[in-house]
Amino acid sequence: MPAIFTPKVVTANALLEGDVVYLTEADTWSRTLQEAEVLTDEADAQIRLIDASSRTGEVVGVYLADVTPDQNGPKPAHFREAFRMSGPSNYPHGKQSEAL
Amino acid sequence: MYRYTDFDAAFVAERNAQFRAQVERRIDGSLTEDEFKPLRLMNGLYLQLHAYMLRVAVPYGTLSSAQMRQLAYIAERWDKGYGHFTTRQNIQFNWPTLRDVPDMLDALAEVQMHAIQTSGNTIRNVTADHFAGAAADEIADPRPVAELIRQWSTDHPEFQFLPRKFKIAVTGSPNDRAVTKAHDIGLRMVRNEVGEPGFEVIVGGGLGRTPMIGKVVRDFLPEADLLPYLEAVVSVWNLLGRRDNKYKSRIKITVHEHGIDDIRARVEERFALLRPAFTGVDQQLYAQIKSDFEAPAFADRDTAPFDQAYANDPVFRSWADTNLSAHRAPGHAIAQISLKAHGATPGDATADQMRVMADLAEWFGHDELRVSHEQNIVLPHVHKADLPAVHAALKDAGLATANIGRISDIIACPGMDYCALATARSIPIAQEIATRFDQLKLENEVGDLKIKISGCINACGHHHVGHIGILGLDRAGVENYQITLGGDHTETAAIGQRTGPGFSADEIVPAIERIVDTYLSERDSADEAFIDTFARVGMTPFKTALYGESERKQKAA
Ligand code: HEM
Ligand code: SF4
């Protein structure tokens, strides 16, 4: 039986601001994980990754991150991604403050 | 204090102009990230989890008040109003945008500072005791030695392609505050039986993935032999060091694989060949550098204001008891400013706090500040008569925490709150431990106890040499904290021993409490420090306190 593919999103850091961004279905970069395109097929995910990696004028360090799909959009599967989504835990800086 | 020469200033200006152009070319697309990344790293610009980070060098951890004020300005203008002082005796800004960085570098250059990182496999910045030039126990100021080594090794043709990076630390005091035994080479300034100055040379220490305590390769090296001897050590390693495997390339592995006696014999042989080439020019240079580090003129004044405050003000007294150290000049003290307020982020200071510290240095401290590797700020030269005023100003700025060397004076690396390499967080663990022991009002009772926390195996938080070390790991997608006990960062350096299985983020603070309770019940008197009790009673009682209960439970189940 083939291993079950964990759903993924394409993520990176913005070139100018350095903050975390996610690839949307419309090929734009969003600051919010909920708006990210969820990739459920491995071959599809690899192609989206390769295409996104070539956008070096916009982002740095593109990779696929595991997510758990939910009615409200994808949720981070790992705590590292949870921090990237919200910001550091010692100050209300980063995304958690911008969302307000 | 060491000042930029015209050469240094021109070099920094040119580098800044180059980097500004490189940033522009990255933004307009003419440089790819692969091309740009090494350039930005050379200029101290890293990409962390949430943003870029600019790491600013503070050579020998020494800052003037003008430099500290400029750091405050930078924090306010381009960051979120604070800066993070690190165990590498430097400062990091966590929130710059790419476009701002060239302006930040120019602002640094205005006060003779830069973010240039010695990168690559070369001899890195030489570090020295943060009490250099002030400590009562000091034999000689180690900073001129560090500067001599820096000038000699920079651009030395033989040392540009070493097997790996190479770090040297120097201390001029018998009490080692520079962690010399955890460096590739550690130098301790000593005197021989007839009182001549020289060095004890320690080789092969390091932390990280394979922690090792350095070993003495020469117990007395005359001062004038320093550079040829260092060159001999580096060239022996250059020949033997493993280039096939990044994890085995540091000199600590070479020393471990060949044994210290074999290394010593090879070094001495090489040294005999190299020594004649050094005809004394290096010693002239050394004499010249020494004059750049001359001590300020210390005033002879009455210490009555200090004595009165000490007798009458219990808050001042408790601060003086923990945060002051003996100065070599009569009537003076070394004052440490704790950046470890209970519950705050270890090493962080706001722009306002930086300005207060700058003012105090200017008014009362011969215009000098130091950054310690324990992430605190030091006023190295304060007359005791001025300490009540210094303390009052610190109190107003939230900087008078009386906890130097105590359980809440924790070293913590940025961990997963900032660092892209982290496997777990470290800052919140430090915050919770400090808050908990403050609630318990146990700190003074517990006394000298160093907790050091790293968020991954790279060991930036020095956890191996903490009396209690905490290493954050990722165990199947959950933060897990491994504890080591008995580490020592001083002249009696030791690597801590693992207690056993790690603890979850919820369990780690109670686990630390059980360790401290065990110490309090095991110690033979209030004078026996944690590290001494551990040396005497060993791991067993601590293990029982940590795991005894759950083991019994498991057996019962
Ligand atoms: C983005 C932030 C950081 C990154 C990516 C980083 C990365 C690393 C890496 C990869 C190493 C291991 C090098 C080796 O063994 O070859 C290392 C070592 C070290 N780091 Fe960091 N670090 C960061 C922040 C810090 C900070 C904030 C401090 C100070 C608080 C620090 C202090 C150290 C020290 C002292 C070592 C040497 C440990 C040894 O003796 O091997 N680092 N760092
Ligand atoms: S120890 Fe690991 S987590 Fe901590 S700063 Fe170093 S690389 Fe980052």
Side-chain angles (χ1 to χ4, degrees):
Chain A
M1 197 179 90
I4 296 164
F5 181 71
T6 310
K8 306 230 178 331
V9 296
V10 175
T11 182
N13 289 71
L15 171 67
L16 295 182
E17 295 81 6
D19 63 339
V20 175
V21 293
Y22 305 94
L23 188 66
T24 68
E25 241 169 58
D27 267 344
T28 56
W29 295 104
S30 166
R31 257 76 195 172
T32 23
L33 175 59
Q34 270 109 25
E35 293 172 6
E37 175 189 16
V38 179
L39 303 160
T40 51
D41 175 79
E42 178 152 22
D44 194 25
Q46 288 305 328
I47 288 170
R48 294 293 281 160
L49 174 65
I50 291 167
D51 289 347
S53 301
S54 68
R55 296 166 67 170
T56 61
E58 299 163 18
V59 291
V60 182
V62 186
Y63 66 95
L64 292 171
D66 289 354
V67 290
T68 314
D70 184 89
Q71 304 97 307
N72 304 320
K75 291 206 305 214
H78 188 276
F79 62 91
R80 184 176 193 271
E81 291 305 321
F83 291 128
R84 287 183 78 242
M85 183 184 76
S86 53
S89 50
N90 61 330
Y91 295 114
H93 291 158
K95 300 237 180 295
Q96 54 202 340
S97 64
E98 287 148 21
L100 297 179
Chain B
M1 194 163 147
Y2 180 75
R3 304 232 166 257
Y4 273 15
T5 59
D6 292 345
F7 173 80
D8 295 332
F11 177 76
V12 169
E14 190 189 318
R15 273 289 285 269
N16 284 358
Q18 271 172 4
F19 190 59
R20 184 178 289 278
Q22 288 157 353
V23 168
E24 281 314 314
R25 289 166 60 213
R26 175 68 183 98
I27 292 173
D28 74 20
S30 37
L31 281 179
T32 65
E33 185 61 18
D34 287 347
E35 290 162 335
F36 181 65
K37 188 175 175 184
L39 301 172
R40 70 167 159 79
L41 292 177
M42 271 164 55
N43 288 285
L45 185 64
Y46 298 73
L47 186 56
Q48 303 202 104
L49 283 184
H50 312 292
Y52 287 99
M53 177 269 279
L54 185 67
R55 178 180 283 170
V56 178
V58 183
Y60 317 123
T62 302
L63 288 170
S64 68
S65 63
Q67 290 174 325
M68 186 65 113
R69 282 194 195 101
Q70 191 77 340
L71 295 176
Y73 169 73
I74 289 171
E76 234 156 36
R77 174 93 165 69
W78 291 292
D79 205 278
K80 294 192 188 292
Y82 76 101
H84 178 68
F85 291 96
T86 83
T87 59
R88 280 182 174 166
Q89 292 181 280
N90 54 28
I91 181 169
Q92 299 186 169
F93 292 106
N94 283 325
W95 301 96
T97 69
L98 184 56
R99 279 216 160 88
D100 290 339
V101 174
D103 292 340
M104 295 169 82
L105 295 178
D106 285 348
L108 288 169
E110 284 171 19
V111 290
Q112 307 201 332
M113 294 183 79
H114 62 80
I116 298 169
Q117 301 295 314
T118 40
S119 61
N121 297 332
T122 57
I123 299 186
R124 297 299 184 84
N125 252 357
V126 183
T127 49
D129 183 358
H130 48 269
F131 287 176
D137 62 352
E138 186 170 277
I139 295 167
D141 189 336
R143 290 171 300 171
V145 178
E147 181 57 24
L148 175 70
I149 297 171
R150 186 186 75 80
Q151 293 192 10
W152 157 77
S153 65
T154 306
D155 296 332
H156 190 303
E158 205 184 325
F159 301 154
Q160 302 311 307
F161 300 98
L162 296 171
R164 196 87 169 84
K165 62 186 171 185
F166 198 82
K167 294 184 185 171
I168 303 176
V170 197
T171 177
S173 296
N175 295 300
D176 182 2
R177 289 172 290 261
V179 210
T180 56
K181 289 192 173 168
H183 284 77
D184 296 296
I185 289 185
L187 295 171
R188 296 178 61 201
M189 301 173 82
V190 292
R191 306 243 156 179
N192 64 7
E193 321 79 69
V194 294
E196 290 159 346
F199 301 94
E200 179 186 80
V201 185
I202 297 155
V203 65
L207 303 175
R209 191 174 295 267
T210 350
M212 299 268 183
I213 295 300
K215 299 181 179 69
V216 176
V217 61
R218 180 70 107 83
D219 50 20
F220 185 81
L221 181 74
E223 205 166 47
D225 290 346
L226 179 65
L227 295 186
Y229 193 85
L230 289 183
E231 187 158 337
V233 173
V234 177
S235 71
V236 164
W237 168 64
N238 206 0
L239 207 68
L240 296 178
R242 304 216 2 205
R243 290 164 202 266
D244 58 323
N245 182 336
K246 169 171 133 157
Y247 297 119
K248 296 192 170 169
S249 53
R250 297 288 287 266
I251 196 174
K252 61 188 177 187
I253 306 292
T254 317
V255 171
H256 185 76
E257 285 180 344
H258 289 260
I260 186 71
D261 295 327
D262 178 63
I263 296 293
R264 182 179 297 116
R266 289 170 192 262
V267 168
E268 292 296 340
E269 195 181 319
R270 185 90 187 119
F271 171 67
L273 288 175
L274 291 170
R275 182 65 185 88
F278 286 75
T279 53
V281 180
D282 57 318
Q283 292 306 300
Q284 282 163 25
L285 179 61
Y286 182 42
Q288 200 184 318
I289 295 170
K290 269 192 204 170
S291 64
D292 286 335
F293 286 95
E294 237 155 61
F298 296 117
D300 187 9
R301 288 158 58 199
D302 190 2
T303 61
F306 173 85
D307 302 328
Q308 271 161 23
Y310 192 85
N312 301 323
D313 178 354
V315 177
F316 177 75
R317 183 160 61 239
S318 106
W319 179 78
D321 285 344
T322 47
N323 292 36
L324 299 182
S325 303
H327 197 281
R328 66 193 171 96
H332 286 71
I334 300 169
Q336 293 205 60
I337 303 172
S338 168
L339 299 184
K340 314 288 178 67
H342 300 101
T345 302
D348 279 8
T350 64
D352 286 339
Q353 290 178 325
M354 291 183 213
R355 285 193 198 97
V356 169
M357 296 190 281
D359 288 346
L360 292 175
E362 185 179 353
W363 298 334
F364 303 117
H366 296 274
D367 210 43
E368 223 183 285
L369 298 133
R370 305 274 174 82
V371 183
S372 81
H373 74 83
E374 291 174 327
Q375 301 180 280
N376 293 309
I377 299 295
V378 182
L379 293 170
H381 313 295
V382 188
H383 196 280
K384 285 186 164 183
D386 296 326
L387 283 169
V390 167
H391 180 252
L394 290 174
K395 221 163 49 174
D396 287 344
L399 285 169
T401 313
N403 66 345
I404 297 293
R406 297 291 193 247
I407 193 168
S408 58
D409 183 10
I410 299 171
I411 293 186
C413 79
M416 202 178 276
D417 287 307
Y418 298 90
C419 178
L421 302 177
T423 42
R425 288 174 298 169
S426 6
I427 292 168
I429 306 300
Q431 291 173 308
E432 284 167 35
I433 293 172
T435 307
R436 180 68 185 140
F437 282 91
D438 191 38
Q439 280 165 356
L440 295 172
K441 296 289 163 228
L442 263 180
E443 280 207 77
N444 286 332
E445 174 72 21
V446 173
D448 212 22
L449 205 171
K450 305 251 185 208
I451 298 186
K452 302 181 197 273
I453 311 177
S454 305
C456 84
I457 193 71
N458 285 321
C460 302
H462 293 187
H463 65 277
H464 299 109
V465 292
H467 298 161
I468 299 178
I470 301 177
L471 167 61
L473 296 169
D474 173 351
R475 286 277 177 264
V478 181
E479 287 169 299
N480 187 272
Y481 295 90
Q482 227 169 53
I483 300 177
T484 48
L485 298 179
D488 180 349
H489 64 292
T490 68
E491 59 283 358
T492 47
I495 302 291
Q497 303 163 38
R498 281 215 359 229
T499 56
F503 295 86
S504 70
D506 292 339
E507 294 169 333
I508 183 70
V509 179
I512 299 300
E513 251 186 274
R514 293 208 291 283
I515 291 169
V516 172
D517 287 344
T518 308
Y519 154 63
L520 290 175
S521 61
E522 291 286 336
R523 70 181 179 186
D524 61 10
S525 78
D527 292 335
E528 192 181 54
F530 176 88
I531 186 77
D532 300 321
T533 302
F534 180 79
R536 184 171 55 78
V537 305
M539 185 62 100
T540 311
F542 295 97
K543 263 195 160 152
T544 310
L546 285 176
Y547 306 107
E549 236 171 275
S550 62
E551 262 169 31
R552 244 176 288 140
K553 256 192 226 149
Q554 270 168 11
K555 273 183 201 137

